[in-house]
């Protein structure tokens, strides 16, 4: 019974999570892809593939994932059009560009 309950909860959680329009990997100290375009309302998922912690931080402070450990993921839904320069607060050399229109 416990197993069934857990399974139902998992299915519900999966259904509730918006399907990402785009997945950006944090890999080898870079954003992959390094630049991309999505639409307003789209959810972008960021996945840390590195063995080091990263963050997904917008220049100007529009959003910040906080610490993402190895294999951690973080999703953000873009509600405003704009061009967002991405970096990692631990590794300022990591640069990405996301256009939302
Ligand atoms: Cu980093």
């Amino acid at each position: 019974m416990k197993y069934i309950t857990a399974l139902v909860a998992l299915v519900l959680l999966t259904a509730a999570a918006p399907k990402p329009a785009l997945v950006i990997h944090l890999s080898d100290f870079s954003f992959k892809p390094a630049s991309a375009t999505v639409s307003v309302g789209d959810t972008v998922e960021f996945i840390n593939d590195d063995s080091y912690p990263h963050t997904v931080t917008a220049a100007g402070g529009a959003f910040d994932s906080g610490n993402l450990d190895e294999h951690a993921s973080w999703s953000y839904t873009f509600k405003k059009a704009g061009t967002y320069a991405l970096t990692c607060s631990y590794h300022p050399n990591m640069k990405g560009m996301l256009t939302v229109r």
Side-chain angles (χ1 to χ4, degrees):
M1 189 58 200
K2 248 189 182 143
Y3 172 76
I4 301 282
T5 307
L7 194 65
V8 168
L10 184 66
V11 167
L12 288 175
L13 274 175
T14 307
K19 191 180 182 315
L22 173 70
V23 177
I24 296 180
H25 292 265
L26 287 71
S27 173
D28 298 328
F29 294 92
S30 52
F31 293 93
K32 295 180 181 177
S35 70
T37 300
V38 296
S39 301
V40 172
D42 279 353
T43 297
V44 178
E45 181 178 17
F46 298 87
I47 302 174
N48 183 6
D49 292 337
D50 276 342
S51 308
Y52 302 90
H54 292 302
T55 72
V56 179
T57 303
F63 52 86
D64 191 340
S65 67
N67 183 75
L68 295 175
D69 285 325
E70 181 180 10
H71 301 314
S73 70
W74 178 73
S75 293
Y76 187 78
T77 301
F78 289 86
K79 301 229 157 65
K80 269 180 69 176
T83 301
Y84 299 91
L86 308 175
T87 188
C88 166
S89 59
Y90 305 139
H91 310 106
N93 288 341
M94 289 175 63
K95 292 193 187 315
M97 187 64 74
L98 199 55
T99 302
V100 180
R101 64 182 182 199

